[in-house]
Amino acid sequence: MSVSPQTVAVFGAGYVGLVTGACFADLGHRVVVRDVLADRVEVLRRGEVPIFEPGLDSLIARNTDRLSFTTDVGEAIEGADFVYIAVGTPPTYSGDADLSAVWTVIDELPQIERSTVVVMKSTVPVGTGSRVRHRLDERGLQHVGYVSNPEFTAEGTALRDFMHPDRIVIGSFRDEDGDAVEALHAGIEAPVVRCDVASGEMIKLAANAALMTRISFINEIANVCEATGADVVRVAEGIGLDRRIGPAFLRAGIGFGGSCFPKDSLALKQLAANSGYHFQLLNAVIEVNELQKRRVIGKLHSHLGSLRGATVALLGLAFKPNTDDMREAPSLVLAGRLVAEGADVRAWDPVVEGADLFGVEIASSPEAAAAGADAVVLVTEWPELADVDWKAVAATMRNALLIDGRNMLDPAALRAAGFTVEGIGRAASVSEG
Ligand code: UDX
Ligand code: UDX
């Protein structure tokens, strides 16, 4: 591996910016990560990591020689060969992506003399690159390159996804800028897709939309399984073995959440609508997901009747395991609905702390959350939940009902432990009980 060390400025020390910065440092480059939040930069300078991402703390620790943090734009840009933009692009009220942080970065760039390449890592609507190009040109920065290099890292496995990606996408206006970004990734073995900037931007949005479509598809199949007596876990296995379909992203559950899917689906929907196209399929994917999050409430009603005064334990709060990220987590919708229906809600999560969940009581363990409760809902498939002594838990509950929102646990074993069990799309196993 022959890496020619480059200097990389990364704007934004969130999940994406920190992972990008730490991985480039690990590849041998000199990296300065810049964030507007002075507290966040202070924490990072002390050697602490403000987010939970497995392996990120040790990766940062072993690259301190090449990795630094600052709030100062000038310090970040000094000698930079690349300026990576990894600031947030949250949805606005209209559902469009809010690009104000991206524009702030572009406008804050000083009159760079060298042939730096600005690289967009944040997820942005198609057409953003052209607008940025125009803005750079207006400022006399024609010599500064622009490249779209979207991220496909999933939280919890972000380092592996960055270092061993399925592909690297590089969309550029000029070949030499794309070549430079490709060379920056030397040391990573992966197919490289070279394309124009607009296609690079669309690849990111379309990849997310394809994954979300699969999830809403299997969730609808699950709902039909419940009505017809089939088991979606077996169905997913049976269709996933078809090479044309494949097994990934066919886990039925309580809907997708997180920092990307919900906002990026809205952004793509709006992008299409703003161009005069009604993206019917994507609208359905979003609506199915909203309804899916609420189906657990219906299941609780069917077993408990009114939820007023019932105690419900939510196990897992993060939108998926191995992250502390609560953005658009289904647990927020569940907790909100349960509280609105007058239930007493207790919650447990091994990582999320002090979440402001409508006054929900946070328990120190799954057992403590479930004690005396009328129902347990498995919301996030944390591995810890596989090791719980469910028989002991059932014995402490007022009513031993377990809704497995992720089809994580073995329903037969739970039933033997004394539970009434419901999964998602598992009508066959429910009727056995
Ligand atoms: C972000 C985007 O939301 C996503 O669309 C994209 O794919 C990658 O970047 P994430 O890293 O998860 O994802 O965002 P977040 O954790 O919110 O971090 C953004 C960081 O940028 C924050 O630390 C914030 O303080 C910082 N920021 C924001 C700036 O440094 N400058 C700004 O002007 C605004
Ligand atoms: C996602 C994309 O995978 C990643 O490529 C992109 O860069 C950012 O968005 P992330 O949101 O971190 O990553 O997590 P992911 O593992 O994709 O899960 C997203 C949501 O879908 C979670 O709520 C998860 O529980 C749900 N999911 C996933 C399912 O419900 N069923 C599945 O089969 C897979």
Side-chain angles (χ1 to χ4, degrees), residues 38 138 168 173 176 195 243 289 301 333 336 362:
E138 275 179 347
I168 297 167
F173 294 111
E176 63 261 39
C195 56
R243 269 175 299 175
N289 196 55
H301 278 301
V333 173
I362 302 293

Side-chain angles (χ1 to χ4, degrees), residues 151-153 155 204 249 251 256-257 260 319-320 406:
E151 52 90 19
F152 302 99
T153 49
E155 289 175 24
K204 166 69 189 189
F249 273 72
R251 281 178 284 116
F256 57 76
C260 278
F319 82 95
K320 65 174 198 177
R406 301 291 184 172

Side-chain angles (χ1 to χ4, degrees), residues 61-252:
R62 77 164 185 262
N63 285 291
T64 44
D65 289 357
R66 286 188 292 267
L67 184 58
S68 59
F69 303 95
T70 184
T71 53
D72 188 74
V73 176
E75 193 182 325
I77 294 293
E78 176 72 38
D81 302 299
F82 298 89
V83 174
Y84 264 81
I85 301 183
V87 294
T89 50
T92 58
Y93 282 115
S94 60
D96 294 282
D98 179 354
L99 296 181
S100 52
V102 169
W103 291 121
T104 302
V105 174
I106 297 297
D107 293 341
E108 278 176 345
L109 291 180
Q111 283 308 120
I112 307 168
E113 301 300 332
R114 50 194 292 141
S115 53
T116 302
V117 183
V118 172
V119 192
M120 188 62 74
K121 208 51 162 166
S122 298
T123 304
V124 293
V126 181
T128 304
S130 288
R131 291 167 60 202
V132 173
R133 181 68 271 163
H134 188 66
R135 191 101 139 216
L136 291 171
D137 292 348
E138 275 179 347
R139 291 190 49 201
L141 294 171
Q142 286 88 351
H143 57 286
V144 170
Y146 181 87
V147 166
S148 162
N149 175 217
E151 52 90 19
F152 302 99
T153 49
E155 289 175 24
T157 55
L159 303 185
R160 188 196 69 199
D161 295 343
F162 193 100
M163 291 303 205
H164 305 281
D166 290 347
R167 77 304 207 184
I168 297 167
V169 173
I170 298 175
S172 61
F173 294 111
R174 294 186 311 212
D175 284 348
E176 63 261 39
D177 299 327
D179 294 345
V181 172
E182 190 169 343
L184 186 68
H185 288 80
I188 299 180
E189 290 296 323
V192 176
V193 178
R194 294 286 297 265
C195 56
D196 57 282
V197 170
S199 301
E201 293 165 341
M202 184 54 100
I203 287 171
K204 166 69 189 189
L205 297 175
N208 274 352
L211 294 170
M212 287 180 264
T213 303
R214 282 176 74 96
I215 298 172
S216 279
F217 168 76
I218 201 66
N219 282 337
E220 287 215 285
I221 293 288
N223 300 342
V224 180
C225 283
E226 282 178 10
T228 55
D231 181 342
V232 76
V233 175
R234 294 281 87 79
V235 173
E237 184 188 347
I239 64 174
L241 284 167
D242 185 325
R243 269 175 299 175
R244 295 166 301 176
I245 298 174
F249 273 72
L250 287 179
R251 281 178 284 116

Side-chain angles (χ1 to χ4, degrees), residues 12 14-16 35-37 40 86-89 101 122-123 151 263 327:
Y15 280 88
V16 175
D35 203 286
V36 285
L37 300 177
R40 179 161 281 225
V87 294
T89 50
S122 298
T123 304
E151 52 90 19
K263 92 174 161 61
R327 286 179 281 184

